Amino acid sequence: MPETSLPIWEIHSQIIDSLRSGNRLILSAPTGSGKTTQLARLQDALSARGLDVIATREPGGSPIGERIRAILLDSRTSGLSYSAELALMFADRAQHLDELIEPALRSGKIVLCDRYTDSTEAYQGFGRELGSGVVLNLHRDLCHDLWPDLTLLLESDVKASIRRARNRNENVDSSEGRFEAENEAFFRRVERGFHEIAKRETGRVVRISPGSIQSVQQAIAKIVDRRFPQIASVKASTVALTPRAKPQPDRRVRRGSRAGSRRQKIPRAGQPARS
Ligand code: TMP
């Protein structure tokens, strides 16, 4: 796999476009390093259009969620039963929805979420072999059955993804290595899980082939614009209005600046950036 390709097994993003219709848009895709980059780029691109967008992640995303994440991902967490792991994933998600995602959506923000319930189905349902049923039932009961409007599945080579994720953990001296320590058979089941989900959820999940950071970014931008004409139309009007705003500093442009978008980002409780 070339250096520039994205070993992403899963990214999950949630976007809600409340500009006109209040339609929800959620964007999601499978794991690995590179997904954080893509998420940040999408957030910047949307912020640059003056859209109110936040980026968050699971597990984590809320202060309590970050504590749950530490338990779940720490390679020193030994003996955690598969059912307990599943329950903690949903404890994290329930808190995340109540504390952050749903209030953000209600106030009209676009929410990009790195991983969501598809990850639980792929990792715990398929990887741990607990099955899809228990995951989907918990999602219905604990997460108000809130699903993304769009899920992006970033495809990658499993072996290369594991290698890069392990290297990344070593390089940043991260203790978040519990899942990366699993064997290849586990990750093959996870991969199959994502593919099964994509086959089932044809209206929501879009698969993206591996490529350079640039080409994946462009593919994501295209899909978002195609799926959300409201977002695409914001881009068009911003471009059309910019020349007229030239004589005076334009608030819309400043709102869309990188500094502006940074202000809107949700801090991740001091955790090292992962992808
Ligand atoms: P990440 O920071 O690379 O996304 O790491 C999160 C890890 O948690 C990753 O190994 C996948 C795992 N995970 C699950 O097993 N189930 C889930 O529901 C979620 C959200 C993540």
Side-chain angles (χ1 to χ4, degrees):
M1 175 174 269
E3 189 52 31
T4 46
S5 65
L6 286 171
I8 290 178
W9 316 328
E10 183 184 23
I11 278 185
H12 187 113
S13 306
Q14 178 170 356
I15 301 176
I16 288 205
D17 172 18
S18 61
L19 284 180
R20 298 201 180 149
S21 60
N23 287 341
R24 282 199 312 259
L25 179 162
I26 301 180
L27 197 156
S28 161
T31 294
S33 60
K35 68 185 164 62
T36 302
T37 305
Q38 291 298 336
L39 221 85
R41 288 184 178 207
L42 179 59
Q43 183 186 18
D44 282 351
L46 296 176
S47 296
R49 299 182 195 179
L51 297 167
D52 204 356
V53 53
I54 64 167
T56 185
R57 69 173 176 181
E58 292 188 354
S62 71
I64 292 171
E66 290 297 335
R67 294 175 73 178
I68 297 173
R69 178 184 177 95
I71 297 170
L72 278 166
L73 270 53
D74 195 328
S75 40
R76 291 166 302 186
T77 301
S78 57
L80 187 67
S81 79
Y82 293 168
S83 300
E85 182 180 280
L86 172 67
L88 284 172
M89 291 295 177
F90 271 104
D92 165 70
R93 186 161 302 126
Q95 183 70 28
H96 195 200
L97 281 165
D98 280 359
E99 194 176 330
L100 189 102
I101 293 179
E102 289 182 331
L105 296 178
R106 273 197 297 273
S107 68
K109 288 186 173 57
I110 291 169
V111 180
L112 306 178
C113 184
D114 185 344
R115 298 183 182 281
Y116 193 63
T117 297
D118 288 341
S119 290
T120 319
E121 187 175 350
Y123 278 79
Q124 281 67 50
F126 282 77
R128 301 300 194 204
E129 301 183 293
L130 294 176
S132 295
V134 63
V135 174
L136 299 177
N137 284 340
L138 283 167
H139 183 82
R140 191 194 55 224
D141 294 342
L142 301 177
C143 303
H144 318 136
D145 222 11
L146 181 74
W147 287 102
D149 296 301
L150 175 63
T151 294
L152 295 185
L153 182 61
L154 306 193
E155 303 197 290
S156 70
D157 174 76
V158 169
K159 276 189 180 166
S161 299
I162 299 170
R163 208 171 38 244
R164 296 237 339 210
R166 286 178 182 159
N167 285 345
R168 176 196 61 198
N169 284 349
E170 277 167 24
N171 291 340
V172 298
D173 193 24
S174 170
S175 56
E176 294 191 343
R178 203 170 67 84
F179 284 99
E180 282 81 0
E182 291 297 331
N183 60 24
E184 194 186 322
F186 172 82
F187 288 106
R188 294 265 170 227
R189 290 196 296 275
V190 171
E191 184 190 41
R192 190 165 60 80
F194 279 121
H195 289 166
E196 292 293 322
I197 294 167
K199 266 194 256 161
R200 188 186 69 212
E201 304 288 335
T202 48
R204 171 170 66 86
V205 179
V206 176
R207 294 162 79 150
I208 298 187
S209 310
S212 68
I213 290 178
Q214 214 75 35
S215 67
V216 171
Q217 184 183 347
Q218 280 166 5
I220 290 175
K222 247 193 209 157
I223 291 163
V224 169
D225 278 353
R226 206 170 50 226
R227 282 296 184 97
F228 302 96
Q230 299 95 325
I231 288 179
S233 71
V234 172
K235 180 186 181 184
S237 64
T238 303
V239 171
L241 288 172
T242 302
R244 270 183 267 145
K246 233 181 176 176
Q248 290 182 346
D250 187 342
R251 274 213 195 101
R252 279 171 307 234
V253 174
R254 285 173 59 203
R255 272 175 62 210
S257 71
R258 291 185 68 82
S261 64
R262 254 184 236 120
R263 270 199 303 279
Q264 291 167 11
K265 276 181 186 162
I266 299 300
R268 289 181 168 185
Q271 294 292 314
R274 285 173 59 91
S275 52

